[in-house]
Amino acid sequence: MLTERQLLILQVIIDDFIESAHPVGSRAISKKDEISLSAATIRNVMADLEELGFLEKTHSSSGRVPSEKGYRYYVDNVIGSTMAKGNLSIMRDLVRDEFIDFEKLVQKSAEVLSDLTNYTSIILGPEIFETKLKQLQIVPLTDHSAVAILVTDSGHVEHRSFTFPAEISPNDLEKIVNILNDRLHGISLARLPEVITKEVLSLMQMYVHDFEKSYQYLKSAFFQEQPVKLYIGGKTKLLTQPEFNDINKIRAFYQMMENEDQVVNLLKAPQHGIKVTIGNENKIDEIKDFSLITASYQFGSEQMGTIALLGPTRMEYRKVITLLNALSNEMTEALYLWYKNNGY
């Protein structure tokens, strides 16, 4: 544990460095209104903090900058105990404006969050394992093709084209749709192949002529890998940060952002509350110069998605954590209102 004096100096240095992006010296600290210490005492405290690993020198004659250990202590012991309760009213206003698609709510939130922070925001949409089928239609396009229209309980509408043999009669197609709607309503999209194999096939065998051929064609529509929905705001915001003038860092970052599976893996772990990973705490090499702050949003007791902000380790932690905490609460509330307003 740091002494009160050490913690005060560390906090002042971090706050100043976050604002200026320049190393902080003892002379600048001594001019702060909240500091009543001499420059010599401040230098001694800074030397102690450096020895303890909380501060670093960028070169021999410079002031100090926070280390990753310093940021971690600051987040855990300063921000955690003083975090303000925020209320953004972003989602509430969007719901009030009667957005009909929850995906649009999430996308708009990503954009607003990035604008408020000047960092890159990433929101993982409602997990596909929690997204359930509400309604299904099959619309014939030609004698040999049709489109399956899946409407989920999150408001997502998905179209899946498939082919079928001409010998399948309109009567049999209607029976198939009725069976699918009866057996698949409320089933998560990820479980559709399992339920079709275990339950739908046996019913088709009873009621549908040439059921085996019909089943084989249906598989092409329903046995598909489900994409996870990612919403990104302000991908270019990091270009304005002085830490990222290095073109190689930026290139590596953009290459990572193009790999959706890698980004999803960053965000999909279950969590409660705010999680902060700083610099080398991140497992992916491309963001070891970044801080990643995440929060989840819920429906009932189920985690439905994740909100994240990526920025430099010189991040405005107090502001970002407050915003994410507020947005997490509002997205949880908005998801509940959206379900309620749409009769789920």
Side-chain angles (χ1 to χ4, degrees):
M1 282 291 291
L2 298 181
T3 65
E4 288 186 17
R5 179 178 291 179
Q6 289 171 333
L7 182 56
L8 174 61
I9 297 300
L10 178 65
Q11 182 177 344
V12 168
I13 290 174
I14 290 178
D15 289 341
D16 197 285
F17 184 65
I18 286 173
E19 183 178 349
S20 69
H22 295 298
V24 184
S26 58
R27 181 177 173 81
I29 296 173
S30 67
K31 294 180 179 180
K32 302 286 185 182
D33 292 338
E34 65 268 36
I35 301 296
S36 59
L37 304 171
S38 68
T41 300
I42 294 169
R43 283 193 295 272
N44 289 334
V45 174
M46 291 173 69
D48 291 341
L49 289 170
E50 184 178 357
E51 187 176 339
L52 291 167
F54 293 98
L55 297 179
E56 297 173 341
K57 276 187 178 180
T58 54
H59 54 82
S60 59
S61 61
S62 72
R64 305 316 199 273
V65 299
S67 66
E68 290 181 8
K69 181 179 179 181
Y71 283 126
R72 169 52 61 195
Y73 195 90
Y74 175 81
V75 168
D76 292 344
N77 296 278
V78 178
I79 303 297
S81 61
T82 62
M83 187 176 71
K85 297 294 183 182
N87 186 1
L88 299 179
S89 298
I90 296 172
M91 302 295 288
R92 191 177 296 110
D93 291 343
L94 295 178
V95 172
R96 192 177 294 124
D97 290 340
E98 297 183 349
F99 271 64
I100 60 171
D101 190 338
F102 189 75
E103 291 190 43
K104 293 178 182 177
L105 295 174
V106 179
Q107 181 63 59
K108 184 64 175 177
S109 296
E111 295 168 2
V112 171
L113 188 59
S114 179
D115 289 341
L116 288 172
T117 60
N118 214 31
Y119 304 135
T120 296
S121 65
I122 310 169
I123 299 183
L124 182 63
E127 286 284 0
I128 201 71
F129 291 102
E130 301 300 335
T131 304
K132 297 177 174 60
L133 186 67
K134 180 187 178 187
Q135 186 178 6
L136 168 72
Q137 290 180 287
I138 295 180
V139 179
L141 301 176
T142 68
D143 290 341
H144 300 280
S145 66
V147 60
I149 304 173
L150 288 72
V151 182
T152 73
D153 59 355
S154 68
H156 177 61
V157 179
E158 190 168 321
H159 300 80
R160 301 185 184 180
S161 299
F162 64 102
T163 59
F164 62 88
E167 56 265 30
I168 295 181
S169 68
N171 185 47
D172 277 347
L173 194 60
E174 183 179 352
K175 289 179 181 177
I176 291 170
V177 172
N178 290 336
I179 291 171
L180 291 173
N181 272 313
D182 179 62
R183 293 294 171 171
L184 302 184
H185 182 272
I187 300 299
S188 69
L189 296 192
R191 290 191 60 233
L192 291 185
E194 173 193 347
V195 177
I196 288 172
T197 301
K198 290 183 177 179
E199 299 183 23
V200 171
L201 180 58
S202 60
L203 289 171
M204 288 176 61
Q205 185 175 3
M206 295 171 59
Y207 298 109
V208 177
H209 177 70
D210 201 4
F211 72 93
E212 288 185 351
K213 187 173 290 186
S214 300
Y215 173 71
Q216 292 303 318
Y217 281 87
L218 278 178
K219 283 174 66 175
S220 65
F222 293 100
F223 286 53
Q224 297 179 8
E225 184 177 347
Q226 300 302 315
V228 176
K229 300 294 183 180
L230 273 180
Y231 307 86
I232 299 175
K235 196 182 289 188
T236 62
K237 296 285 188 182
L238 292 175
L239 297 175
T240 66
Q241 304 293 336
E243 290 89 343
F244 302 119
N245 290 331
D246 185 336
I247 189 65
N248 291 322
K249 286 183 182 179
I250 291 298
R251 183 183 293 116
F253 168 73
Y254 278 102
Q255 287 174 344
M256 184 206 74
M257 294 298 286
E258 292 300 317
N259 185 343
E260 288 199 352
D261 289 341
Q262 196 172 26
V263 178
V264 167
N265 285 335
L266 277 176
L267 307 182
K268 69 179 183 180
Q271 72 172 83
H272 296 284
I274 302 289
K275 180 181 179 182
V276 181
T277 52
I278 301 169
N280 284 292
E281 294 174 358
N282 290 299
K283 296 179 180 179
I284 298 178
D285 288 340
E286 290 86 346
I287 58 170
K288 287 191 179 294
D289 293 312
F290 295 72
S291 282
L292 173 69
I293 304 184
T294 59
S296 64
Y297 58 97
Q298 318 283 129
F299 182 70
S301 61
E302 297 291 336
Q303 178 175 330
M304 297 298 285
T306 306
I307 315 161
L309 273 168
L310 261 175
T313 53
R314 185 188 54 84
M315 180 183 274
E316 294 183 84
Y317 292 98
R318 191 187 307 274
K319 175 181 178 179
V320 168
I321 290 173
T322 299
L323 287 172
L324 276 187
N325 188 57
L327 186 56
S328 169
N329 292 334
E330 289 195 14
M331 287 187 71
T332 296
E333 180 183 349
L335 189 59
Y336 169 78
L337 290 174
W338 192 92
Y339 274 66
K340 182 178 179 182
N341 291 344
N342 286 274
Y344 297 125

